[in-house]
């Protein structure tokens, strides 16, 4: 009896594996903000993800398996994001999801862990990097959450590290003053406490946060507050029109401050819209720029032709990060297909299969990543750039590159 049962079980397992590996298609849900408060960059990133998945299908799919996907504009509304997730899970048999915002990604942590659905979000919240829930500051373990890039917390730590060096390089004495600026919302708040703690470690005097809306507005009162506090370095946690309003308002009232932004708050579109008001604006990136001559940019340009056949549109670095996100998922799925089938659990295992991982064809574009079952801080490198607008031209130059420690107390925070 035992031998027959063992043979039956082994045969069944082999059949299941063969069926999984012979999948004709798998479904990926794609949440995007195309019309809400973060659409300024949401559409750019979403185009990168969609173009990449379409290009992958046109070039063999996942080792012969087609990627079926649906993009839903959830307009940055958490209830709509949850409803979309549940629909995809129950009706489409979703095996992975490309996500977007911080509030919705964090709201879905328990759902995706229970359902074993890997989520590749465009939220870089440090809370998503602790798969085991080791850090007591982390509210929930996030074993199925991944993102391409340094966390908001690590990027901000890199910026204050640069600021500390900048302060000394300019010959200043005493403690520089640092202020977090942003809406009272999960996205701008994600790095606030972590960055403030590290700024204090580096010798900054941390001032009370200044709250500004995610929407464009008149922020002269907030700029006067920054001016009266003597803030030297301000970290902007918002993006798009809100950033433009802040820069213009502070110029109007004569606030002398070094602005540093999160990764969504600095790009060529922001500088063009702000015009002469932008001066020495510091921001982080996780990819090179569209016109940079690196080997993998050739593939990015080919992917871009999916939605721009002319090949003339210059894409922002947010688009390129969307491409990287899709390609890490692609290669994890390829590993899964070769190791039992494209399931959520196997895709997750595929994320741990390689070290110093750069997707094939994107060398020089995507930074080398290292995910492990205990640590989802895939990237700990931050490239820091300075943007200016002079005489009608946007000028962007790299000023530093920071590699962040993988400190235990920073995991998930």
């Amino acid at each position: 009896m035992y031998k027959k049962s063992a043979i039956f079980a082994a045969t069944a397992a082999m059949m299941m594996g063969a069926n999984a590996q012979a999948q004709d298609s798998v479904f990926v849900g794609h949440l995007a903000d195309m019309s809400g408060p973060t659409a300024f960059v949401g559409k750019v990133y979403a185009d990168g993800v969609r173009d990449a998945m379409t290009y992958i299908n046109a070039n063999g799919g996942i080792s012969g398996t087609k990627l079926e996907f649906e993009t839903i504009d959830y307009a940055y509304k958490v209830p709509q994001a949850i409803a979309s997730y549940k629909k995809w899970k129950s009706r489409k048999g979703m095996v992975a999801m490309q996500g977007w915002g911080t509030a919705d990604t964090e709201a879905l942590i328990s759902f995706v862990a229970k359902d074993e659905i890997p989520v590749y979000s465009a939220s870089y919240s440090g809370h998503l990097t602790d798969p085991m829930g080791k850090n007591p500051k982390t509210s929930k373990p996030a074993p199925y959450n991944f993102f391409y890039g340094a966390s908001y917390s690590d990027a901000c730590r890199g910026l204050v590290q640069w600021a500390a060096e900048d302060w000394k390089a300019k010959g200043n004495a005493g403690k520089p003053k640092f202020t977090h600026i942003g809406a009272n919302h999960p996205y701008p708040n994600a790095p606030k406490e972590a960055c403030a703690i590290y700024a204090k470690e580096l010798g900054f005097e941390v001032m009370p946060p200044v709250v500004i809306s995610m929407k464009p507005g008149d922020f002269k009162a907030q700029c006067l507050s920054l001016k009266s506090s003597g803030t030297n370095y301000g970290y902007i946690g918002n993006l798009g029109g809100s950033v433009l309003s802040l820069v213009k308002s502070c110029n109007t009232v004569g606030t002398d401050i070094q602005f540093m932004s999160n990764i969504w708050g600095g790009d060529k579109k922001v500088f063009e819209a702000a015009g002469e008001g932008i001066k020495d604006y510091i921001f982080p990136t996780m990819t090179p720029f569209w016109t940079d001559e690196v080997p993998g940019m050739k593939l990015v340009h080919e992917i871009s032709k999916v939605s721009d056949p002319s090949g003339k549109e210059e894409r922002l670095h947010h688009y390129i990060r969307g491409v990287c996100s899709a390609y890490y998922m692609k290669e994890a799925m390829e590993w899964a297909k070769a190791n039992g089938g494209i399931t959520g659990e196997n895709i997750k295992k595929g994320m741990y299969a390689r070290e110093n991982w750069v997707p094939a064809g994107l060398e020089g574009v995507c930074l080398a990543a290292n995910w492990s079952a205990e640590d989802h801080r895939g990237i700990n490198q931050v490239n820091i750039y300075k943007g200016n607008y002079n005489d009608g031209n946007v000028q962007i130059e790299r000023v530093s590159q920071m590699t962040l420690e993988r400190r235990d107390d920073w995991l998930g925070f």
Side-chain angles (χ1 to χ4, degrees), residues 43-249:
K43 185 180 184 304
V44 177
Y45 182 88
D47 284 346
V49 172
R50 288 190 295 185
D51 285 356
M53 290 197 288
T54 302
Y55 186 89
I56 289 166
N57 276 338
N59 290 272
I62 309 300
S63 302
T65 296
K66 181 183 177 183
L67 279 180
E68 291 186 19
F69 64 93
E70 178 183 22
T71 300
I72 287 183
D73 174 12
Y74 76 111
Y76 214 58
K77 296 175 182 176
V78 173
Q80 190 167 335
I82 293 173
S84 299
Y85 171 85
K86 289 182 176 179
K87 182 193 81 169
W88 287 330
K89 174 66 176 64
S90 62
R91 299 182 193 174
K92 300 282 191 176
M94 176 171 59
V95 297
M97 190 177 89
Q98 289 283 334
W100 174 243
T102 297
D104 43 282
T105 303
E106 292 189 351
L108 284 167
I109 287 174
S110 296
F111 289 94
V112 304
K114 176 179 175 290
D115 297 332
E116 298 185 348
I117 305 292
V119 172
Y120 299 80
S121 74
S123 166
Y124 309 133
S125 170
H127 303 142
L128 304 172
T129 64
D130 186 2
M132 310 295 287
K134 291 181 179 180
N135 194 325
K137 291 180 179 288
T138 304
S139 57
K140 301 172 185 175
Y144 280 82
N145 288 94
F146 299 92
F147 56 76
Y148 167 72
S151 71
Y152 292 136
S153 298
D154 275 351
C156 190
R157 290 177 181 119
L159 290 170
V160 295
Q161 202 172 314
W162 170 85
E165 294 175 3
D166 179 68
W167 179 256
K168 291 176 183 176
K170 290 176 177 174
N172 294 311
K175 285 188 172 186
K177 294 181 178 180
F178 170 82
T179 301
H180 178 281
I181 308 162
N184 187 19
H185 180 277
Y187 153 56
N189 280 344
K192 184 163 67 176
E193 183 182 359
C195 198
I197 291 172
Y198 188 54
K200 285 181 181 178
E201 280 187 33
L202 294 178
F204 285 84
E205 181 180 353
V206 176
M207 310 306 291
V210 169
V211 177
I212 62 171
S213 169
M214 288 275 281
K215 298 178 181 178
D218 183 349
F219 299 142
K220 293 190 191 73
Q222 289 91 334
C223 290
L224 287 170
S225 176
L226 291 166
K227 187 176 182 179
S228 65
S229 72
T231 294
N232 305 109
Y233 296 89
Y235 171 83
I236 305 173
N238 288 7
L239 51 75
S242 174
V243 173
L244 296 174
S245 295
L246 178 69
V247 171
K248 290 178 179 179
S249 294

Side-chain angles (χ1 to χ4, degrees), residues 126-127 129-138 157 374-377 406-413:
H127 303 142
T129 64
D130 186 2
M132 310 295 287
K134 291 181 179 180
N135 194 325
K137 291 180 179 288
T138 304
R157 290 177 181 119
E374 293 77 34
D375 190 340
H376 281 193
R377 290 175 290 187
R406 291 185 181 273
R407 284 170 42 172
D408 290 343
D409 60 324
W410 288 356
L411 178 64
F413 180 56

